[in-house]
Amino acid sequence: MARRGEEPYSCAVRSPDDASAPPSTEDAPLRTGMVLAGGAARGAYEVGVIEYVLKDVARAIGRDVPIDILCGTSAGAINACFLAAHADAPQARAERLKLRWLELRIEEVVRPSTTEIFAMFGSIFGRKRKPPAAADERRGGLIDTTGIQRIVIGEIPFERIREHMNAGRLSGLTVSTTHVASGQTVVFVQRREPGLPRWSRDPTMSARAAEIGPDHALASAAVPLLFPAVRIDGDFYCDGGLRQNVPLSPARRLGANGLIVVNPRYIGPPPTPSTNVAEYPAAFALLGKALNALLLDRIENDIDRLKRINDILDAGTRRFGPAFVDAVNEQMGEGGARGGLRPLRIVHVRASEDIGAMAAEHVRSPDFAARTPTWISRVLRRIGEGAGEADLLSYVLFDGAFAAKLVELGRRDAKARHEELCAFFADAHAG
């Protein structure tokens, strides 16, 4: 039996607010969305999956694979924006994105922000910080993201996203963020049609129409405490993964009825009870586990929930016949144009190895020490040697050689889903 969360299946999702989505995959061609999760430096894993899908699967089925909708959070938002901005090069964009990750040098990307560090310690002792100036668009975060900003601004031609939508190469793009003042999730949406589709009534989440630019991508990637929040239209925003790390809902509301979900989260075997008294984990270890819980864990619950809904619909159809789903939607007042319960096919590609452990092994290697400035190498090696602290390390290890290892892992995991991916896109072509 395939491991939990890895097999593709038809799912259903209740979407009473989405009037624009197709009623079922039987009535409309497969409209494919690619959903890219967060994880800072772990985003290189997604690049391996993307490359395999856009190049190897395309070669296997004899044509470019259609990606109509791109939805990302955190590093996934940067990857999604890159793919959207280069939508006129369906396969070449994967190679370009991979090269950008492989060119990363940790000393250019991960530098301490002395201003923010002193301000943070000053606030602990009651020192008030000056209100932000109009030009101060980045606040908070222990790491100076000037290097990341330079890459995002220099490598992603955001103005071309609208061109590709007008040309029919792309239907929609979303970037999920967290509004710092309120803690609410704000999804910035750019789509071919004007305005927004019908959205959720969840008071903790809202959508905002936007011409997505570098500030939106950088805000989505701003992991709290590590990277500075970004000000957009007067308000500060940070990593959208705090509430919505894997943006399944935005993809669905933009009309996707088939999803490729890429998740750099490794789920290992459950821990075994120990008779030894474990040492209480250090602060770095706790922070790494907290980031896992906030930014990566909930996709399993989301997909399991979708699978359970689908199982209920399948059981009802077997027991009462093919009219069961329509009857349920009618009784709930959600049939017809309101969409109701509809099939949603998902292929979930998830990391098969512990990326935290990979990061710790990487910083202990002689090659890393030889290529990296001494003080950075020592700090990261210290973190990597700590028990349980490698999870945090994997979020900040923006190193091209480490990215290459994650890209290869992503390719292997996508290759393991090769037949399912080919069948998925064959259905899209048949529609």
Side-chain angles (χ1 to χ4, degrees), residues 259-306:
L259 298 179
I260 304 297
V261 180
V262 187
N263 181 19
R265 175 72 164 115
Y266 169 72
I267 304 294
T272 55
S274 173
T275 56
N276 298 322
V277 178
E279 181 180 349
Y280 189 76
F284 283 150
L286 288 175
L287 180 56
K289 299 304 180 186
L291 289 175
N292 282 345
L294 287 172
L295 304 181
L296 295 176
D297 285 347
R298 283 172 291 180
I299 178 58
E300 303 301 323
N301 294 332
D302 291 343
I303 290 184
D304 280 351
R305 176 175 55 83
L306 295 176

Side-chain angles (χ1 to χ4, degrees), residues 137-344:
E137 303 298 333
R138 310 282 188 271
R139 293 296 294 267
L142 301 177
I143 296 175
D144 181 352
T145 55
T146 302
I148 297 176
Q149 294 173 41
R150 185 166 55 248
I151 294 169
V152 170
I153 294 172
E155 300 292 343
I156 303 178
F158 286 91
E159 70 281 356
R160 300 201 64 202
I161 295 173
R162 174 54 60 190
E163 296 176 18
H164 297 322
M165 289 185 179
N166 292 340
R169 302 184 187 102
L170 183 69
S171 176
L173 169 69
T174 73
V175 169
S176 297
T177 68
T178 299
H179 183 251
V180 173
S182 67
Q184 294 186 352
T185 296
V186 176
V187 182
F188 290 98
V189 180
Q190 183 172 351
R191 64 175 189 156
R192 188 182 309 161
E193 302 84 356
L196 294 169
R198 298 287 296 276
W199 213 257
S200 171
R201 289 190 287 259
D202 185 342
T204 67
M205 298 186 184
S206 63
R208 189 171 302 172
E211 294 292 309
I212 290 175
D215 284 347
H216 301 96
L218 290 167
S220 184
V223 178
L225 295 181
L226 296 182
F227 305 118
V230 179
R231 186 157 61 179
I232 301 173
D233 297 330
D235 291 324
F236 283 102
Y237 295 85
C238 67
D239 198 309
L242 298 184
R243 285 186 182 270
Q244 190 182 72
N245 185 57
V246 185
L248 300 178
S249 177
R252 182 59 170 172
R253 295 183 184 285
L254 287 179
N257 50 15
L259 298 179
I260 304 297
V261 180
V262 187
N263 181 19
R265 175 72 164 115
Y266 169 72
I267 304 294
T272 55
S274 173
T275 56
N276 298 322
V277 178
E279 181 180 349
Y280 189 76
F284 283 150
L286 288 175
L287 180 56
K289 299 304 180 186
L291 289 175
N292 282 345
L294 287 172
L295 304 181
L296 295 176
D297 285 347
R298 283 172 291 180
I299 178 58
E300 303 301 323
N301 294 332
D302 291 343
I303 290 184
D304 280 351
R305 176 175 55 83
L306 295 176
K307 188 175 185 297
R308 285 196 298 272
I309 293 174
N310 189 73
D311 289 343
I312 292 171
L313 295 181
D314 285 346
T317 299
R318 290 195 304 270
R319 177 65 178 83
F320 299 106
F324 174 76
V325 176
D326 289 339
V328 170
N329 284 328
E330 181 180 354
Q331 287 297 314
M332 296 173 67
E334 297 176 1
R338 294 179 65 83
L341 294 167
R342 296 175 289 129
L344 176 60

Side-chain angles (χ1 to χ4, degrees), residues 365-383:
S365 69
D367 178 66
F368 179 76
R371 290 184 296 103
T372 309
T374 303
W375 73 269
I376 296 179
S377 175
R378 287 178 177 174
V379 170
L380 296 182
R381 186 183 182 93
R382 163 63 188 87
I383 296 175

